């Protein structure tokens, strides 16, 4: 079955760049997937960061778009998040997730939902 | 941009029914599907309702979802409450290119 696993530094300096990678296993790239990043600050709710389509187009949260880049490397079965100029407010658990379009192109999925999540990785912004 | 507003917390007794609301700030609630996620402490979210009212395989029929265009809101109802249902619940929708989550509702089963 499809599995996602986040990796990257757990500590980032203020004003630096947060970089995370999500390894994808067991998935096919059928075009129905939107590979996504979601974060959750300590004690807070879920916040959508952005998503990337099969063809490479990306959508970003209006509150983060000026600082965020999501990229997809299908040859390595992974997608990545870069968030620039981080502050303490960016301290959070970062999840990678598969979101689906209105159809399931290959294998089973839950259409229109985030149906597969990584376990999450805690990133702290501190000097 | 749009926002989804949920109550911060709800409480109910085992065996009872609870309903959690999710109000969309702009744009019609019917224009994009609403999903609901359950998140237990220390765990990743899981889908309990998708496409407004559909249950994924394995989710008990005690969970149901609906939308109400008159109040521009969605609702998640859980009947026959069990202590195991105690968790945070999030609604989620989109406007085509961006995604929003509600602020989350902590369900206390007392």
């Amino acid at each position: 079955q499809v599995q996602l696993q986040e990796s990257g530094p757990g500590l980032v300096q203020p004003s630096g760049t947060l970089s995370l990678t999500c390894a994808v296993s067991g998935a096919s790239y059928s075009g129905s997937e939107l590979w996504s990043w979601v974060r959750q600050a300590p004690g807070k709710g879920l916040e959508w960061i952005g998503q990337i389509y099969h063809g490479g187009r990306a959508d970003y949260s209006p509150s983060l778009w000026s600082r965020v880049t999501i990229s997809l490397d299908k040859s390595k079965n992974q997608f990545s998040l870069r968030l620039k100029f981080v502050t303490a407010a960016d301290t959070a658990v970062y999840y990678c997730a598969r979101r689906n379009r209105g159809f399931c192109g290959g294998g089973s999925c839950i259409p229109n939902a985030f149906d597969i999540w990584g376990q999450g990785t805690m990133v702290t912004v501190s000097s | 941009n749009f926002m989804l507003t949920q109550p911060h917390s709800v409480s109910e007794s085992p065996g009872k029914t609870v309903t959690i609301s999710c109000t969309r700030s702009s744009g019609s609630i019917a224009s994009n599907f609403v999903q609901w996620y359950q998140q237990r402490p220390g765990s990743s979210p899981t889908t309990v309702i998708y496409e407004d009212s559909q249950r994924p395989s394995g989710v008990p029929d005690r969970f149901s979802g609906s939308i109400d265009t008159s109040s521009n809101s969605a609702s998640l109802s859980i009947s026959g409450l069990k202590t195991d249902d105690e968790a945070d619940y999030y609604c989620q929708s989109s406007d085509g290119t961006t995604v929003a989550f509600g602020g989350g509702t902590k369900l206390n089963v007392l």
Side-chain angles (χ1 to χ4, degrees):
Chain A
Q1 73 275 22
V2 179
Q3 293 184 311
L4 304 178
Q5 178 66 59
E6 307 90 349
S7 62
L11 181 65
V12 182
Q13 299 275 334
S15 77
T17 297
L18 180 160
S19 296
L20 296 174
T21 296
C22 181
V24 181
S25 60
S28 60
Y29 298 95
S30 66
S32 62
E33 308 89 2
L34 301 167
W35 304 104
S36 306
W37 289 96
V38 177
R39 71 181 182 179
Q40 186 169 35
K44 302 297 184 182
L46 302 171
E47 180 184 13
W48 179 72
I49 299 171
Q51 65 195 8
I52 189 164
Y53 292 73
H54 173 82
R57 170 194 149 189
D59 299 315
Y60 302 120
S61 164
S63 65
L64 296 171
W65 71 270
S66 63
R67 299 194 290 131
V68 67
T69 302
I70 296 175
S71 58
L72 175 64
D73 189 334
K74 286 175 278 186
S75 67
K76 293 183 178 179
N77 287 325
Q78 65 184 36
F79 61 105
S80 301
L81 169 70
R82 284 174 54 87
L83 182 66
K84 302 182 298 185
F85 310 125
V86 296
T87 69
D90 295 309
T91 293
V93 173
Y94 284 76
Y95 295 99
C96 60
R98 184 181 77 174
R99 178 176 176 235
N100 301 296
R101 300 174 75 178
F103 61 95
C104 295
S108 66
C109 83
I110 302 175
N112 287 296
F114 293 89
D115 66 343
I116 306 291
W117 297 72
Q119 65 184 22
T121 186
M122 181 69 200
V123 178
T124 301
V125 178
S126 175
S127 57
Chain B
N1 300 349
F2 70 101
M3 295 174 54
L4 299 171
T5 301
Q6 300 179 232
H8 182 69
S9 66
V10 294
S11 299
E12 191 49 272
S13 303
K16 300 291 189 180
T17 298
V18 71
T19 298
I20 299 171
S21 62
C22 171
T23 302
R24 182 166 174 147
S25 63
S26 62
S28 171
I29 193 71
S31 62
N32 299 90
F33 287 120
V34 175
Q35 284 60 239
W36 290 89
Y37 304 91
Q38 177 191 70
Q39 186 181 34
R40 294 193 172 96
S43 296
S44 303
T46 61
T47 311
V48 293
I49 293 291
Y50 69 100
E51 293 183 345
D52 299 339
S53 60
Q54 304 302 304
R55 277 179 291 105
S57 172
V59 173
D61 61 6
R62 301 185 298 107
F63 289 78
S64 63
S66 63
I67 63 168
D68 179 356
T69 54
S70 66
S71 60
N72 214 37
S73 65
S75 295
L76 170 68
S77 292
I78 310 172
S79 62
L81 276 171
K82 302 177 183 296
T83 55
D84 191 50
D85 297 329
E86 190 162 282
D88 294 326
Y89 292 85
Y90 295 89
C91 59
Q92 172 263 310
S93 190
S94 78
D95 65 359
T97 54
T98 62
V99 171
F101 288 96
T105 299
K106 181 170 178 54
L107 170 60
N108 299 297
V109 182
L110 313 162

